[in-house]
Each structure stands twice: as C-alpha cells, then as structure tokens.
Amino acid sequence: MSEQINKNKLFIASCLALTVTAMTFAIRAGILGQLSQDFALSDTQLGWINAMAFLGFPIATMLGGLLYNFFGAKKLVTIAFVGHILGLILTISADGFWSLLISSFCIGFANGAVEAGCNPLIADMYHKNKTTMLNRFHVWFPGGIVVGALISKMMTDMSFGWQAQIAVMLVPTVIYGYLILSQSFPKTDNIETSTSKNIKALFSPLFLFMAVCMTLTTTSELGTQQWIERILGSSGASPMLIMAMITGVMAVGRYFAGPIVHKFNPSGVLLYSAVVTTIGIYSMSVATGNMVYVSALLFALGVTYFWPTMVGFVAENIPDSGALGMSLLGGIGMFAVSMWNPVIGKWIDEARQQALTLNSDPALAELAAGQATLANLSIFPFVLIFAFTGLVLVMRKAAATQVSTDTEEANIEK
C-alpha cells in the first residue's frame, strides 16, 4: 500500500481544502453589506452570523483532534467535504437570520475539520520539517483569501448577488473532494497516537500558555480581517483590495518561511509578529485614503506567521500532544474569535451611534466607527508583545540548559 501513497497529491488536496476554507472567510467578509441590506440585519446580528462560522470551527477541531487517532485524516477531510457542500448550499438558499446562522455553522465545522485532518497529516508526512511545511500549507489560507476577495470584488462590481458569490466556491470544493476520496493515505508513523499521552501533554504549562496566546493571535488576525469591509468601508480605500493585498503578502511570506523560522526560531518570529501587528492595526485606526494601504501592509507583515508558527511551535516543542494538541490549539483560537465577533459588531454599532450624535454626516460616522474599533483591536497584539518576550527568554534559557547538559554528557562519555 505504501507505494501507492502520493504525498504530493495529498499535499495539493490539503492545500485546496484550505483554499476553500479561506474563500468562505473572504467572500463572507465581502458580502456582509449585501446581507445587511437584503435581510435588514444590524452589525450585532452580522456578528452572531460570523460567530457561528468561528464556533463551528473549534467544535470540529476539538472533536477531530480527539478522534484523529481512531478515524485518521481521510475520514476527517471527507467530513469537511460533506460539510462544505451542505453549508454552501444552505447559505445560497438562506432566507433570513436563523438560516444564515445554521449555514455559517456548517461551513465553520467543515473548515475546522480541514484543519483537524490536514495539520497532523502534513506534520506526519514531513516530520523532519514540520514548521516549514505547515507554513507552506498555510500559504493557502491567505492565498485563498486573495482569490476570494478578488472574486467578491469583481462579482460585486459586476452586480452579481451574494448567492452567486457563494456558489463559486462549490467548484474548488468538488475538486478537493475528488482528490481526497481517490487517494490512499499513509499510516500514522511519526506523530504521537496515544490519546492518553496527548491529553496529559495538554496540561503542561507551556501548552496552556500557548493556548491563551492563541486566543489573542487569532483575534488579532481574523477578527480584524473578517470585519474589514465594515471597518474600512468609509476610509477612502477599497476594503476588498486591502484584504487581497494583506493576504497576498501573507502567502508570499509563509511560502518563504523556512529560512526565517530557522534563523530567528519560532518564539522570536512570534515576538516580531506581535510588535509589527500592533503597529499595523493601530496605524490603520488613524489612517485615511492611500495611507490605509501602507498601514494594512504593516498589519500583513505582522500577522503572516502567527497561525502556522503557533501550530508548528506546539508540534515541535510539545510533541506528545500529537494531533490533538495541534487541533485543539486552532480550535481555541477560533472559539475566541467566535466570542469576540458579536463584541466587535457591537463596538461598531456603538461607535457609529456615538459619532452620529456628534456629527450628522453618515460617512464620517462610519469612518469614526471603524477607527474606534481598530483602536480596540490593537490591544490584542499589544498584550502579546509582553507574552512573547517572556516566551523568548524562557526558550533561550531552556536551550542554554540543554546545551550545558549535552556538553556534560559528552565530557562524561570521554
């Protein structure tokens, strides 16, 4: 059976599945305005619809992480395929708030199943180069957002409705489903498959620390991007072009992540990311016109390595956590975003209302609401600067201790 396994095709199928995940994210961000108009939804209600997508994700990753040792990657990605088909069709036929909630949850669940199945599959297939290959896999999250954002903008400009934009995603979904179903998968040889060991590793102080940090890294990245159309719609810049630019930079950065990760090590990369993300989000909160593009570029350079480096750090430094650790980490991050989404929507509603009481110009009120919300979002990566500074110091000390121990053992052997 081993000679029939094609790692390259499995990697391509995984990347396509992640591309669909990203397109659901980008196109949903692009159609929020249309949904608001068609169904008379407030930003708080849009926040709950977004929240369902982000809530379905962690439920799938938590269940998938627990079941990976029994199901394997193929069954989990097949579940993702079915979830994507079901969620997209339900979204197209949605007739109001509640049907959008249900369809968004289905899509979010499918997205989480992709992560739960593909992350450990890639870590297992490329066990000697985990963080680099996970970064290359995660190229296709920003890559898919570029595709989704450009499709959304083009179709909106051509007066296509939101249903047509959702329907476009059925094409790559069917392709990755065919590839997954037609391929043989490798046995799990290079990842810890003892569920009891996996669970025990989750209670290590390092994993718990990384889990808390994941809630902040994910909200910094995805909380900002998911609301980009509502936050930057009145800034004098095109939100969908900004999203395409941000994610284009992220895709290139992740593809060439290997040398950067090896040079600065994962904890150093995370500290850099926190600093630059803070500067990027805050500068977006005070920028207008063309300067928004400059600020967004800084934001992109900051968030590029957050997600894959967090997952890679856990895979390399807490290996006993296995597939469960990687899946749970992603699930915790997405759960945090699901909880913050209605809050972000409420921030926009409240800031807009406050601005309208001071100035009756609706355009200025929208601008003020977006800027106030971005200022609030900049707090998340700012906290991470201190957290990752501590992580760098701890990992540096651990590395020095390991070198000292290895030297002593070598001297004893001599």
Side-chain angles (χ1 to χ4, degrees):
M1 179 65 72
S2 61
E3 66 273 12
Q4 298 176 4
I5 292 165
N6 189 321
K7 287 185 180 181
N8 189 46
K9 281 191 177 179
L10 288 175
F11 186 76
I12 290 171
S14 298
C15 292
L16 260 178
L18 190 62
T19 300
V20 173
T21 293
M23 288 179 71
T24 68
F25 176 87
I27 290 178
R28 185 171 58 246
I31 65 173
L32 286 181
Q34 292 184 49
L35 293 178
S36 178
Q37 288 180 357
D38 286 5
F39 300 113
L41 301 172
S42 69
D43 282 305
T44 303
Q45 287 176 307
L46 290 176
W48 282 110
I49 292 168
N50 282 342
M52 285 301 102
F54 288 107
L55 181 63
F57 187 103
I59 291 175
T61 56
M62 290 173 192
L63 287 174
L66 286 167
L67 296 174
Y68 185 89
N69 295 339
F70 305 101
F71 278 11
K74 185 168 187 173
K75 287 181 180 177
L76 287 176
V77 186
T78 302
I79 290 170
F81 168 63
V82 173
H84 273 139
I85 292 289
L86 181 63
L88 292 171
I89 291 173
L90 287 175
T91 302
I92 293 167
S93 58
D95 58 3
F97 176 70
W98 290 104
S99 52
L100 285 170
L101 279 183
I102 294 167
S103 61
S104 293
F105 179 85
C106 289
I107 290 173
F109 191 90
N111 293 346
V114 169
E115 286 277 339
C118 295
N119 275 332
L121 172 66
I122 290 165
D124 185 41
M125 289 194 302
Y126 303 100
H127 60 279
K128 294 181 179 179
N129 208 15
K130 292 179 183 178
T131 301
T132 297
M133 291 308 295
L134 282 168
N135 264 286
R136 286 191 182 173
F137 167 54
H138 282 279
V139 161
W140 295 101
F141 187 76
I145 291 178
V146 171
V147 174
L150 293 177
I151 287 174
S152 180
K153 176 170 173 53
M154 180 185 71
M155 293 183 75
T156 300
D157 290 346
M158 295 172 66
S159 300
F160 280 93
W162 58 268
Q163 294 93 336
Q165 296 185 38
I166 297 294
V168 166
M169 291 183 280
L170 288 169
V171 176
T173 301
V174 170
I175 295 171
Y176 94 72
Y178 168 76
L179 286 173
I180 289 296
L181 293 171
S182 64
Q183 293 299 307
S184 297
F185 278 57
K187 292 181 179 179
T188 306
D189 296 322
N190 303 296
I191 193 168
E192 181 55 64
T193 56
S194 167
T195 304
S196 60
K197 279 189 178 181
N198 294 162
I199 293 172
K200 185 178 179 181
L202 300 182
F203 292 95
S204 70
L206 184 57
F207 183 85
L208 294 174
F209 171 81
M210 294 303 288
V212 172
C213 290
M214 191 69 172
T215 67
L216 301 176
T217 61
T218 310
T219 306
S220 300
E221 178 185 346
L222 302 182
T224 303
Q225 290 186 63
Q226 183 69 107
W227 287 91
I228 203 158
E229 191 267 341
R230 304 296 282 174
I231 288 173
L232 296 177
S234 297
S235 65
S238 168
M240 286 297 99
L241 285 181
I242 288 174
M243 179 174 278
M245 183 191 73
I246 288 171
T247 49
V249 170
M250 291 172 67
V252 173
R254 287 180 179 180
Y255 186 80
F256 295 105
I260 296 170
V261 171
H262 289 303
K263 184 174 181 179
F264 295 104
N265 70 61
S267 57
V269 171
L270 290 171
L271 176 56
Y272 146 83
S273 297
V275 172
V276 179
T277 301
T278 302
I279 296 170
I281 296 180
Y282 183 76
S283 62
M284 278 197 293
S285 76
V286 296
T288 56
N290 290 334
M291 285 306 297
V292 176
Y293 293 100
V294 178
S295 301
L297 180 60
L298 277 173
F299 170 76
L301 292 171
V303 298
T304 291
Y305 302 111
F306 264 155
W307 184 287
T309 304
M310 292 289 286
V311 174
F313 181 93
V314 167
E316 290 186 2
N317 293 282
I318 317 171
D320 283 353
S321 65
L324 180 59
M326 286 183 277
S327 296
L328 196 62
L329 191 74
I332 289 168
M334 284 297 195
F335 181 76
V337 180
S338 77
M339 294 297 99
W340 280 108
N341 254 299
V343 176
I344 295 169
K346 190 176 180 182
W347 283 344
I348 297 171
D349 280 335
E350 289 178 346
R352 181 191 300 112
Q353 197 60 41
Q354 187 176 359
L356 284 172
T357 61
L358 300 173
N359 191 313
S360 59
D361 187 336
L364 288 176
E366 291 294 336
L367 175 62
Q371 289 183 333
T373 302
L374 284 165
N376 289 338
L377 285 166
S378 68
I379 296 170
F380 293 93
F382 181 71
V383 172
L384 286 168
I385 293 173
F386 299 96
F388 288 143
T389 297
L391 180 65
V392 167
L393 296 174
V394 168
M395 296 307 293
R396 192 174 292 169
K397 183 178 179 181
T401 302
Q402 184 63 46
V403 169
S404 178
T405 302
D406 291 346
T407 303
E408 288 179 8
E409 290 177 352
N411 290 335
I412 290 171
E413 288 177 3
K414 288 180 181 180

